[in-house]
């Protein structure tokens, strides 16, 4: 089975490489202005150690009309002595990192998804990325976002590995620090992602055996990010955000502004913040609309292929299915009593509560519920418990009370309990080494 999986991943890799690598330096013909600017900046660094404006090894590169992020430019520098300063050289980092994303996304999803579906889901995702119009286009030209996507996903992959083998937390911090200045959006996305991961896994990261490595990794990441943070407030660093910010009203009036209207509610109708918020929401939701993603595509010639949108039309049903699954009410678990219960008393919905990774029974409201039961908790398998155990309230449940019927790292965990003896009894899955996770 492993050989078949390896062969399939290899086939996806070669297919994606062929689509992106065919005549890489010839099509598109010539260089876009950004490609030419980054190529020359890399050439100048190689020859003089300075950019074309005389700055030594800068973290923000001044270009023709704006400022560029540094990671892609520094990736071009060592390639010039081997391939000369050509369109192929300038596009090579984007090509290489785009095809390396196929096996990376496979590994990441194999790690995060349930064992029941992970191989099929990982292979399907890698294949769809391999033939994706937007990813193919970005892999054939000089786009920092392709390189950044790989680095960002690699940092997340290392983080999840680090929850089981702590040394990978150091690698994750280093990779996040590289992703941070690699593209404009990462300046926001990386800190938010790191914060979200820290909150999500605070129980694991605060354990004695992993806490020291986590703190070290965090400090390493901060130190490596210091050169970028040192130019954080400079005009060159902020020029991209300022230029694209629709809330910047000094340079243009917001869309929908009525210059000749002076009525009594003009303060509302022509409010810059109201109009800018309306414009932002309109653009945001139109971008994620099926019409844009599966029919129109990007209007810019550099950002789309003729007659191709961001995704293929045949992917639309899967898009709609995903939206349905995202917003539909999710089942959290179930409880099945194994002997007859006396249901007299207060409200059943108050006495028995099923939440995310927990089932609680309040005996004070329904004493007749103290009966053996089978409990099923859904979507437990991807929570990265190191040594999972069944918990009764805050303690590990005794073996003579709780009996596991499935592995405790399964997607849906099933176990039997002998009853609910306390005034409030809660059963859940957590790490054996901790009272509460």
């Amino acid at each position: 089975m492993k050989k078949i999986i390896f062969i399939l991943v290899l086939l996806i890799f070669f297919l994606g490489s062929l689509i992106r690598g065919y005549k890489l330096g010839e099509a598109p013909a010539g260089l876009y202005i950004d490609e030419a600017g980054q190529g020359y900046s890399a050439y100048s660094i190689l020859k003089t150690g300075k950019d074309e404006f005389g700055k030594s090894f800068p973290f923000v590169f001044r270009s023709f009309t704006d400022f560029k992020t540094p990671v892609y430019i520094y990736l071009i520098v060592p390639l010039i002595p081997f391939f000369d300063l050509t369109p192929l050289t300038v596009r090579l980092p984007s090509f290489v990192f785009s095809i390396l994303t196929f096996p990376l996304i496979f590994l990441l999803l194999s790690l995060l998804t349930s064992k029941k579906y992970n191989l099929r889901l990982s292979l399907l995702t890698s294949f769809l990325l391999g033939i994706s119009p937007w990813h193919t286009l970005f892999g054939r030209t000089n786009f920092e976002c392709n390189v950044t996507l790989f680095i960002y996903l690699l940092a997340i992959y290392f983080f999840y590995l680090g929850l089981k083998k702590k040394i990978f937390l150091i690698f994750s911090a280093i990779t996040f620090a590289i992703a941070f200045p690699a593209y404009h959006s990462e300046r926001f996305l990386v800190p938010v992602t790191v914060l979200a991961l820290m909150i999500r896994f605070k129980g694991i990261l605060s354990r004695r055996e992993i806490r020291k490595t986590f703190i070290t990794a965090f400090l390493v990441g901060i130190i490596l990010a210091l050169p970028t943070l040192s130019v954080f407030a400079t005009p060159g660093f902020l020029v991209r955000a300022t230029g694209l910010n629709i809330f910047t009203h000094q340079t243009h009036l917001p869309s929908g502004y009525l210059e000749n209207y002076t009525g009594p509610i003009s303060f509302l109708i022509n409010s810059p913040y109201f109009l800018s918020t309306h414009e932002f929401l309109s653009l945001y939701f139109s971008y994620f609309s099926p019409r844009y993603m599966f029919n129109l595509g990007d209007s810019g010639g550099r950002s789309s292929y003729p007659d191709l949108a961001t995704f293929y039309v045949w992917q639309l049903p899967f898009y709609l299915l995903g939206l349905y699954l995202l917003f539909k009410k999710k089942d959290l678990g179930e409880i099945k009593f194994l002997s007859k219960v006396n249901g007299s008393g207060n409200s059943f919905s108050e006495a028995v509560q099923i939440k995310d990774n927990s089932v609680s029974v309040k005996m004070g409201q329904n004493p007749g519920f103290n009966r053996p039961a089978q409990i099923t908790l859904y979507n437990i398998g991807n929570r990265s418990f190191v040594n999972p155990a069944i918990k009764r309230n805050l303690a590990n449940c005794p073996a003579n009370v709780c009996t596991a019927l499935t592995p405790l790292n399964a997607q849906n965990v099933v176990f039997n309990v002998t009853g609910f003896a306390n005034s409030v009894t809660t059963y859940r899955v957590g790490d054996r080494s901790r009272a509460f996770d």
Side-chain angles (χ1 to χ4, degrees):
M1 185 64 177
K2 290 184 178 180
K3 285 186 177 180
I4 296 175
I5 297 299
F6 178 77
I7 291 172
L8 290 174
V9 173
L10 205 59
L11 288 174
I12 293 171
F13 181 82
F14 282 122
L15 174 63
S17 301
L18 179 63
I19 296 172
R20 289 157 179 76
Y22 179 69
K23 294 188 175 181
L24 180 63
E26 303 174 34
L31 292 172
Y32 293 105
I33 186 171
D34 289 342
E35 292 179 306
Q38 292 194 355
Y40 186 75
S41 294
Y43 180 79
S44 180
I45 290 290
L46 177 67
K47 295 299 183 180
T48 67
K50 300 178 181 180
D51 67 4
E52 58 268 40
F53 296 94
K55 298 291 184 180
S56 298
F57 299 103
F59 278 87
V60 177
F61 281 84
R62 182 180 174 187
S63 189
F64 295 120
T65 58
D66 62 358
F67 290 79
K68 301 298 181 190
T69 52
V71 174
Y72 197 105
I73 292 173
Y74 285 115
L75 287 172
I76 299 173
V77 172
L79 300 177
I80 296 175
F82 298 97
F83 303 102
D84 207 356
L85 188 57
T86 64
L88 173 65
T89 306
V90 173
R91 294 169 180 169
L92 199 56
S94 184
F95 166 75
V96 171
F97 282 91
S98 69
I99 63 174
L100 289 177
T101 307
F102 309 150
L104 176 60
I105 201 74
F106 174 85
L107 292 172
L108 180 59
L109 287 178
S110 298
L111 192 65
L112 296 183
T113 53
S114 66
K115 292 183 179 180
K116 183 178 180 180
Y117 303 107
N118 64 359
L119 288 179
R120 284 174 288 180
L121 185 60
S122 302
L123 284 170
L124 179 61
T125 304
S126 298
F127 173 72
L128 292 177
L129 186 66
I131 63 172
S132 166
W134 69 267
H135 196 261
T136 299
L137 177 70
F138 290 168
R140 291 190 55 86
T141 51
N142 173 314
F143 275 101
E144 304 105 310
C145 57
N146 242 6
V147 173
T148 306
L149 177 63
F150 174 85
I151 300 172
Y152 175 74
L153 292 177
L154 184 64
I156 295 174
Y157 179 65
F158 281 151
F159 178 87
Y160 277 94
L161 289 180
L163 297 178
K164 298 179 180 179
K165 194 171 183 179
K166 58 186 180 181
I167 187 62
F168 283 101
L169 291 175
I170 304 287
F171 298 146
S172 177
I174 294 171
T175 315
F176 270 127
I178 296 172
F180 182 52
Y183 194 53
H184 304 288
S185 59
E186 302 306 297
R187 299 166 183 172
F188 170 79
L189 190 58
V190 166
V192 169
T193 301
V194 171
L195 180 61
L197 291 172
M198 289 170 58
I199 294 173
R200 171 66 179 83
F201 296 101
K202 63 182 184 298
I204 296 176
L205 297 175
S206 61
R207 289 185 196 143
R208 186 188 310 171
E209 64 270 20
I210 201 173
R211 187 188 308 146
K212 185 176 180 181
T213 303
F214 167 68
I215 294 174
T216 302
F218 187 81
L219 292 176
V220 167
I222 292 294
I223 292 171
L224 292 177
L226 283 178
T228 303
L229 294 173
S230 67
V231 297
F232 199 84
T234 61
F237 191 89
L238 298 174
V239 67
R240 177 81 169 197
T242 304
L244 296 179
N245 186 1
I246 63 173
F247 293 97
T248 303
H249 306 125
Q250 290 79 8
T251 56
H252 68 280
L253 294 173
S255 175
Y257 188 87
L258 303 176
E259 295 187 53
N260 298 322
Y261 181 77
T262 57
I265 57 172
S266 61
F267 71 94
L268 175 62
I269 291 179
N270 284 332
S271 168
Y273 295 101
F274 171 76
L275 292 173
S276 295
T277 302
H278 178 269
E279 182 182 3
F280 170 80
L281 293 175
S282 297
L283 291 172
Y284 185 87
F285 287 109
S286 66
Y287 181 86
F288 288 102
S289 68
R291 183 169 179 262
Y292 179 89
M293 297 178 71
F294 299 95
N295 184 25
L296 296 178
D298 199 297
S299 59
R302 187 188 178 191
S303 304
S304 65
Y305 288 116
D307 301 320
L308 272 181
T310 307
F311 299 101
Y312 298 107
V313 175
W314 55 264
Q315 292 177 292
L316 177 59
F318 302 101
Y319 173 82
L320 298 176
L321 176 62
L323 287 178
Y324 168 74
L325 295 175
L326 179 65
F327 292 108
K328 82 162 193 167
K329 184 178 179 181
K330 296 178 174 61
D331 293 328
L332 301 175
E334 62 181 78
I335 179 171
K336 183 188 299 182
F337 288 98
L338 302 178
S339 64
K340 187 176 180 180
V341 299
N342 179 2
S344 63
N346 295 330
S347 169
F348 178 84
S349 61
E350 288 293 326
V352 179
Q353 295 186 355
I354 302 176
K355 299 180 181 180
D356 182 29
N357 187 25
S358 72
V359 169
S360 298
V361 172
K362 299 179 180 179
M363 288 298 301
Q365 299 186 24
N366 265 299
F369 284 164
N370 187 15
R371 299 290 188 271
Q374 183 178 104
I375 295 174
T376 303
L377 298 175
Y378 298 148
N379 301 312
I380 302 300
N382 59 352
R383 305 196 182 210
S384 301
F385 293 126
V386 176
N387 188 15
I390 301 171
K391 301 281 190 174
R392 184 176 64 175
N393 294 334
L394 299 181
N396 296 327
C397 186
N400 63 341
V401 175
C402 299
T403 305
L405 303 179
T406 64
L408 297 182
N409 58 358
Q411 182 69 4
N412 299 324
V413 173
V414 184
F415 55 92
N416 286 345
V417 299
T418 57
F420 303 85
N422 301 328
S423 58
V424 178
T425 305
T426 300
Y427 291 100
R428 56 190 298 277
V429 176
D431 265 309
R432 185 178 301 276
S433 56
R434 294 181 61 84
F436 188 82
D437 297 289

